Amino acid sequence: MSSNVGSSQEPEPASAATLYLTLAPVALVAGAYLVVFLILRKSQRRYYAPRTYLGSLRTSERSPALPNGLFNWIGPFWRMPNIHPLQHQSLDAYLFLRFLRVLVTICFVGCCMLWPVLFPVNATGGGTAQQVDILSYSNINKDTQSSRYYAHAFMAWIFYGFVMYTILRESIYYINLRQAFLLSPLYANRISSRTVLFVSVPTDYLDEARLRKVFGDSVKHVWIAGETDKLDDLVKERDKVAMKLEKAEVKLLKLANAERVKSLEKGGSNERAEAPMDAESGSLAARWIPQKKRPTHRIGLLGLVGKKVDTINWCRTELERLVPTVETAQTDYRAGNYKKINSVFIEFYTQADAESAYQVLAHHQALRMSPKYIGVTPGEVVWSALKVSWWQRVVRRFAVLAFISALIIFWAAPVAVVGAISNIQYLSSISFLQWINLIPDIVLGLVSGLLPSVALSILMSLVPIVMRLCAKLSGEPSLSRVELFTQNAYFAFQLIQVFLITTASSAASAVGAQIASNPASVTTLLATNLPKASNFYISYFIVQGLGVASGVLSQVVGFAIFTIMYKFLSGTPRALYKKWANLSAISWGSVLPVYTNIAVISITYAAIAPLMLGFATIGLSLFYLAWRYNVFFVTDTNIDTRGLIYPRALQQLFAGVYIAELCMIGIFATSVAIGPMVLMIVFLIFSILLHISMNSALDPLLYNLPRSLGAETDYKSIDAGYPSAHNGEKDGTSDAKKISSDETAVTRKQPGFLVKFLKPWEYCDYETMRRLVPHDRVDTSSLYTDEIERNAYFPPSVSSGTPLLWIPEDAMGISKQEVRDTSRVIPITDEGCTLSDKNKLEWDTEAVRPPVWEEKVYY
C-alpha cells in the first residue's frame, strides 16, 4: 500500500528538463555579455584595461598591455604568470586568485576520484530514480543493495581526507609566503609595519613619557588619539564651501563661454582680454553675462529658503573665516591641546621591535591595552571605534552577534520560500496547491530552475552592507578588520541561508506530503529524497558560473554607470579626474564568502550527488578566469588585510567537511546502514582531532612574525640572489616570467608535482617564497618626508590641508581673473584643463598629471 501511495503521489522528476531550461537562457545572457566584453575591450581601455597605463599607478604597479584584437589577447593573457598580482598589486589580490584556483582543484580532483566509482555504483543501485537522479545516492535500493553504501563511505574518506590535507598544505604555503612578504625590505620599512595600535588604554597610560618608559628606547613616535568632533565639523564645512566655490567658478566660466560661442556664431570677435591688476572682481565675466545670471544660492534650510546671495562672493567671504580657523585648531591639536581618548599608536624604529611589542602582554589588568593591532595604515583607521572603552567593546560585540543571529533566523522565511519554489512540482500533491499541475512544463521548469537562483542572488546582495555596519558598531578599529569581520559573518549567513535553510526547505517540500500520508516510510523517503535537494544547487551553479561570471567579466552595468557619470554628471575638472583615476576595488568581505559557500556546497554533496562537482568545477573555473582578468587589468586593492582573508577562507572549508560527514551519518542511519555509519562517525572524530591539532600548531604562525626569521633576514642580503624588479625588466622579461609556472623557483633539482604537493614545508618554504615577493631596490631611509611621518597617525581632520581648487582655462581670460581674485583666500589654478568651443571640459588623460594629483603614500 505504501509503495503504491508513494508512486502515485510522486511526480516525474524534472531534473534534466530543469537543467536544460536553466542553461538555455543563462547561456544566452552569458554569450551576450561575452560579445559586449570582446567589443568594448578594444575601444574602452580606461574601463577594461586601466592598469596597463593609468597615470595614478606607479610604473611597477602596471600590467603589460595585451593585443587589441577580438581574440589574439587570450594567449598572452593565459601565459601571464599567476604570481603577477603579488609583484604588481597586493598579497590579498594574489591570494584571492589562488583561493579560487584551490577551489577549482578540489572540485576537479573530486570529479576524478568520485565519478569513476560512485557513478556506476549509483546508476546500478536498483532504485527507482530517473534522469539525473540515477547518478546520486538516492538510486541505491537500501533493502537489496545496502553493501554499496561502503563505496560511499570509503570514497568519502579519500576525498575529504584530500580536502583537509589541501587546507593544511595551503595554510603552510600562506604562512611562509606571508612571512617572506612582510619581512621583505619594501614592506618591513613601512610605517604601518612598525606601528602598533593599542585600544582600551587606561587613562594613566595616556602619557607619552610613560609609554616610552614601558616600551623602552625602541619607540620612535607616539600618537595619542583625541576628540576631534569640533575640528571635524570645521574641516567638513571648509571643504564643503571650497567645493561649492569651485563648482560656482566652473559654472560661471561655462555660462560666459556659452555666450562667447553664440557671439562667434553671429560673427563676433574672439579677442582674449586681460583684466588690469586693479580691476573689479568679476569684471571680465560681466562683459558676457549680467549680474543676475551669475551663480547664486539661498543660505537657508537646504538651500531652499533664506536670503539669495552671489555664490562666489559668499564662498570667498566664508573661506576667509574658515581657513585660518581650521589652521589654528589644527595647530592646537598638534600642540597637545585636546581631550585624549583611550587609544594609542606607537611607532617603533624597526619591525622587530614593533612585533615584540605586539606579541607581549602590555598591561597587568585584563582587557587593558588589548586587543592590539599591527599593520594598520592611517587611511583605514575607523576613528569612531577608537573611543570605545573595554566594557563597551564587550557589550557591543555580544549585541552585534545577537543582531546577526536574529538577522539569520528571520531571513530564513524568504529564503525558505525560494527553496520551496525550487521543488515546486513536489508541492502539487497538497490539496490547495494542485493548481500547480496546470502550469505548462516549460514555465514550471523556468520557475523551479531559473527564478529561485536569481531571486536568491538579489536577496543576498543586501546583506554585506549590514554586516559592515555591524562590524564598525562592534568596535573594529580598521577597515581591514571590518572586512575580516564581514567575511566571517557573511559566510555564516551564506552557509545557513543559501545552503542549510534552502536544502532543508527543498528536501522538506519534496517529502513532506509523502511522510504525512505514510509516516512509516520516513527513513526510505529521507534517504531517497535528501539528495534531490542538490537539484537546486546545480541550477544555482549554472546561474552563478555562466551568468554571474560573464557579468563579472563584462561589467556591462558598471561600464554604463561609469560612462554616464563621467560624460554627463562630472561637471568640474576635479570630478572628471577622480572618476577617471580611481579604480574599482574588490570588497574581500562580501566576495570571498560567496565562492567559499559554493565550495562548501560542492564538498557537502560530493559523495551524495557527485554530479554537482562537475558543475561546481565549471562554474568556479569561469569565475577564476573572470576575476583573473579583472585583478590583472581592472581592479585595485584599497583595503590590505596582509593576506588574512586566505587562512580564514581555508578554515571555512572545514564547514563543508563537517556538514558532509554529518549528512552522510544521517542518511546512512535513515538507510539503516550500520557499517558505513560507524565508519563515518570514526572519520568525523578523526577530522575534529586533525582540525584541533592543526589550529593549535599553526595559529600562532598565521598572525605573528617569528623572531628567528627576522634575525636571519638581518644577516642575509636580500639583493644577493634576487634581482630587483627594475633590473629584471631590462631585458624585456619581468622577474615573474622567470619564475617557474609552479611558483616555486628553486636552485635545486626540481621534484615531481606530487612530491611538491605532499611536502609544502620543504618545497614552499620561506627561502622559496622570498624569491616570489617583490624586492625593488628602494632607499628605506627616505621612504617618507619628515612631515608625512610626523602627521601619519593624526586624525584626518588634523592633517587635512586646505584644498586646491581646479577650474578650466577659458579663451576669454576670465579664469585668470578668477584665479587671481580667489587665490587671496584659497589656492586655485586653471592649469591642465580647458573649455572647448562646445563648452565641454577637456584635459589630457594620459600625458600630464593634473594639479590635484597627489602621489600615493605607501604607509
Side-chain angles (χ1 to χ4, degrees):
M1 176 71 179
S2 62
S3 59
N4 291 338
V5 171
S7 60
S8 64
Q9 292 192 357
E10 183 176 347
E12 290 293 317
S15 301
T18 299
L19 289 183
Y20 301 145
L21 289 169
T22 303
L23 181 61
V26 174
L28 190 64
V29 172
Y33 276 153
L34 185 60
V35 170
V36 169
F37 168 74
L38 292 173
I39 294 173
L40 292 178
R41 197 195 74 86
K42 294 181 64 178
S43 58
Q44 303 297 327
R45 187 166 63 138
R46 164 56 188 87
Y47 197 77
Y48 290 100
R51 293 195 67 88
T52 60
Y53 77 99
L54 212 59
S56 57
L57 297 174
R58 291 182 175 180
T59 305
S60 60
E61 295 176 323
R62 296 178 189 172
S63 299
L66 295 176
N68 205 34
L70 278 177
F71 302 107
N72 62 347
W73 59 273
I74 296 176
F77 167 65
W78 184 262
R79 290 190 295 270
M80 289 184 70
N82 293 325
I83 204 71
H84 178 85
L86 179 64
Q87 297 181 334
H88 298 278
Q89 191 173 154
S90 71
L91 182 60
D92 285 339
Y94 167 71
L95 290 173
F96 170 58
L97 292 181
R98 184 176 181 88
F99 181 66
L100 292 179
R101 287 202 307 277
V102 167
L103 298 187
V104 172
T105 302
I106 288 174
C107 292
F108 177 73
V109 172
C111 292
C112 296
M113 285 181 176
L114 301 177
W115 283 10
V117 176
L118 295 186
F119 274 2
V121 169
N122 292 335
T124 59
T128 59
Q130 299 178 30
Q131 298 186 39
V132 175
D133 287 342
I134 67 171
L135 300 176
S136 72
Y137 178 99
S138 61
N139 199 45
I140 304 291
N141 189 320
K142 75 181 185 69
D143 297 322
T144 61
Q145 302 289 335
S146 59
S147 60
R148 292 177 180 249
Y149 292 137
Y150 283 98
H152 295 81
F154 285 117
M155 292 310 298
W157 275 31
I158 295 172
F159 176 64
Y160 296 133
F162 165 75
V163 172
M164 289 188 289
Y165 183 78
T166 300
I167 296 172
L168 172 62
R169 181 193 187 278
E170 288 303 306
S171 297
I172 295 173
Y173 180 93
Y174 164 74
I175 288 169
N176 291 327
L177 178 62
R178 177 180 182 271
Q179 290 171 349
F181 186 83
L182 297 185
L183 288 170
S184 66
L186 196 63
Y187 202 97
N189 289 284
R190 293 182 178 180
I191 290 181
S192 61
S193 297
R194 296 182 283 107
T195 301
V196 182
L197 166 61
F198 297 89
V199 297
S200 303
V201 179
T203 305
D204 294 343
Y205 284 83
L206 296 178
D207 178 75
E208 181 172 344
R210 193 163 188 178
L211 289 170
R212 287 182 178 274
K213 188 175 182 179
V214 170
F215 294 103
D217 296 334
S218 59
V219 175
K220 186 175 184 181
H221 285 116
V222 176
W223 295 271
I224 300 173
E227 291 279 3
T228 58
D229 292 343
K230 292 182 179 179
L231 180 55
D232 290 344
D233 292 339
L234 282 172
V235 171
K236 184 178 179 181
E237 186 181 1
R238 180 201 66 187
D239 292 349
K240 181 180 177 182
V241 173
M243 293 305 104
K244 192 179 190 71
L245 174 58
E246 183 180 80
K247 290 179 181 178
E249 295 277 18
V250 174
K251 184 178 179 180
L252 176 71
L253 292 172
K254 285 186 174 182
L255 287 172
N257 194 51
E259 294 298 324
R260 181 186 71 87
V261 172
K262 290 179 184 179
S263 175
L264 288 176
E265 291 174 352
K266 296 177 182 179
S269 65
N270 193 24
E271 279 187 32
R272 179 185 180 90
E274 286 191 18
M277 294 300 294
D278 59 349
E280 184 181 352
S281 176
S283 59
L284 287 183
R287 296 182 181 182
W288 297 98
I289 55 174
Q291 180 69 28
K292 63 180 181 180
K293 286 190 176 182
R294 284 173 60 87
T296 59
H297 71 283
R298 295 184 183 275
I299 57 176
L301 181 65
L302 300 176
L304 301 175
V305 296
K307 180 183 178 182
K308 183 182 285 189
V309 295
D310 182 284
T311 301
I312 293 176
N313 294 332
W314 181 86
C315 289
R316 287 172 181 168
T317 303
E318 285 294 295
L319 288 172
E320 282 181 336
R321 174 182 63 86
L322 288 170
V323 170
T325 303
V326 168
E327 291 174 351
T328 301
Q330 291 173 335
T331 303
D332 285 346
Y333 187 98
R334 292 191 183 98
N337 301 323
Y338 60 87
K339 180 183 177 182
K340 298 175 181 178
I341 58 178
N342 56 349
S343 295
V344 175
F345 296 90
I346 302 179
E347 180 195 356
F348 296 84
Y349 282 100
T350 66
Q351 183 186 41
D353 292 333
E355 286 289 336
S356 297
Y358 173 67
Q359 295 177 31
V360 302
L361 190 63
H363 198 269
H364 58 280
Q365 290 183 326
L367 301 177
R368 303 299 199 279
M369 298 186 73
S370 176
K372 297 163 287 185
Y373 307 91
I374 193 170
V376 177
T377 60
E380 65 171 353
V381 176
V382 181
W383 294 95
S384 60
L386 301 186
K387 303 176 184 179
V388 180
S389 62
W390 67 268
W391 64 268
Q392 287 178 325
R393 199 174 301 275
V394 173
V395 172
R396 287 185 181 209
R397 178 57 63 113
F398 281 115
V400 163
L401 292 177
F403 173 77
I404 291 175
S405 301
L407 187 69
I408 293 174
I409 293 171
F410 290 110
W411 207 275
V415 176
V417 172
V418 171
I421 292 174
S422 70
N423 269 338
I424 192 171
Q425 65 268 36
Y426 293 100
L427 299 175
S428 60
S429 57
I430 301 175
S431 58
F432 62 89
L433 293 178
Q434 290 182 355
W435 55 270
I436 293 175
N437 292 321
L438 303 176
I439 300 175
D441 291 341
I442 294 180
V443 176
L444 195 63
L446 285 171
V447 169
S448 61
L450 182 62
L451 182 61
S453 303
V454 175
L456 193 61
S457 298
I458 296 173
L459 206 58
M460 292 300 106
S461 65
L462 303 174
V463 180
I465 300 171
V466 178
M467 297 297 185
R468 288 189 179 90
L469 180 61
C470 288
K472 292 178 181 179
L473 291 175
S474 71
E476 294 291 0
S478 71
L479 295 180
S480 60
R481 297 289 309 177
V482 168
E483 286 301 302
L484 293 171
F485 179 97
T486 305
Q487 183 184 4
N488 275 348
Y490 190 44
F491 172 72
F493 194 95
Q494 285 262 326
L495 180 70
I496 294 172
Q497 289 296 335
V498 179
F499 182 26
L500 299 181
I501 298 294
T502 308
T503 298
S505 61
S506 186
S509 64
V511 302
Q514 298 173 51
I515 292 176
S517 62
N518 187 12
S521 64
V522 60
T523 58
T524 302
L525 289 172
L526 286 175
T528 56
N529 284 285
L530 271 175
K532 291 180 180 178
S534 66
N535 294 341
F536 165 76
Y537 292 106
I538 291 177
S539 299
Y540 182 63
F541 289 169
I542 292 174
V543 171
Q544 290 283 327
L546 281 177
V548 180
S550 60
V552 168
L553 181 64
S554 65
Q555 305 177 79
V556 173
V557 176
F559 172 73
I561 294 173
F562 173 84
T563 304
I564 291 171
M565 292 190 67
Y566 182 75
K567 290 189 174 181
F568 303 108
L569 300 180
S570 298
T572 65
R574 184 189 305 274
L576 283 176
Y577 170 70
K578 283 188 174 181
K579 193 62 186 173
W580 186 267
N582 291 341
L583 298 179
S584 59
I586 302 173
S587 300
W588 308 119
S590 53
V591 171
L592 265 169
V594 174
Y595 306 115
T596 310
N597 192 48
I598 289 175
V600 165
I601 294 170
S602 307
I603 291 169
T604 300
Y605 278 104
I608 300 172
L611 179 64
M612 280 186 62
L613 285 174
F615 287 95
T617 302
I618 296 171
L620 288 169
S621 298
L622 294 174
F623 269 120
Y624 168 67
L625 292 175
W627 280 116
R628 190 177 196 263
Y629 182 89
N630 280 349
V631 169
F632 279 31
F633 298 102
V634 180
T635 62
D636 197 10
T637 299
N638 284 349
I639 298 175
D640 180 17
T641 70
R642 293 155 58 103
L644 287 175
I645 55 172
Y646 192 58
R648 291 204 178 201
L650 290 173
Q651 287 287 323
Q652 288 165 356
L653 294 179
F654 266 107
V657 175
Y658 290 139
I659 294 172
E661 292 167 349
L662 292 172
C663 284
M664 293 197 71
I665 291 171
I667 61 176
F668 284 149
T670 59
S671 303
V672 200
I674 304 302
M677 182 182 71
V678 171
L679 289 175
M680 289 310 301
I681 292 175
V682 170
F683 192 71
L684 173 62
I685 295 172
F686 167 77
S687 301
I688 294 172
L689 294 176
L690 174 65
H691 194 186
I692 293 173
S693 301
M694 188 178 84
N695 286 348
S696 175
L698 299 183
D699 262 10
L701 294 171
L702 288 174
Y703 305 104
N704 302 298
L705 288 178
R707 291 300 299 268
S708 58
L709 288 181
E712 184 179 335
T713 303
D714 290 338
Y715 286 107
K716 290 186 177 181
S717 173
I718 295 290
D719 293 331
Y722 316 132
S724 72
H726 299 297
N727 292 344
E729 292 182 354
K730 285 182 179 177
D731 59 357
T733 305
S734 67
D735 292 336
K737 294 179 182 176
K738 297 177 182 176
I739 295 172
S740 59
S741 59
D742 57 11
E743 302 173 7
T744 55
V746 289
T747 55
R748 55 183 177 265
K749 183 179 178 181
Q750 290 293 318
F753 170 79
L754 187 61
V755 174
K756 286 187 292 186
F757 179 81
L758 294 176
K759 293 184 176 181
W761 51 86
E762 182 175 346
Y763 297 104
C764 295
D765 61 355
Y766 171 74
E767 287 299 324
T768 302
M769 294 298 102
R770 288 175 74 193
R771 293 172 169 84
L772 303 183
V773 302
H775 288 291
D776 291 358
R777 283 194 177 96
V778 293
D779 183 3
T780 56
S781 63
S782 61
L783 284 175
Y784 312 100
T785 64
D786 291 341
E787 183 182 3
I788 287 175
E789 191 161 3
R790 186 172 59 251
N791 294 335
Y793 286 94
F794 279 135
S797 58
V798 176
S799 54
S800 173
T802 304
L804 169 66
L805 306 191
W806 186 22
I807 62 175
E809 183 181 7
D810 68 297
M812 301 161 287
I814 299 175
S815 63
K816 300 297 182 185
Q817 185 182 32
E818 294 300 315
V819 166
R820 189 189 68 192
D821 295 338
T822 301
S823 61
R824 296 167 184 164
V825 293
I826 191 170
I828 184 172
T829 182
D830 65 347
E831 298 175 355
C833 185
T834 59
L835 267 177
S836 70
D837 288 342
K838 295 182 179 180
N839 217 21
K840 300 292 184 182
L841 298 175
E842 293 182 349
W843 68 291
D844 191 336
T845 58
E846 298 185 26
V848 181
R849 284 174 172 166
V852 294
W853 175 83
E854 294 180 356
E855 185 174 3
K856 184 178 179 181
V857 179
Y858 291 83
Y859 288 105

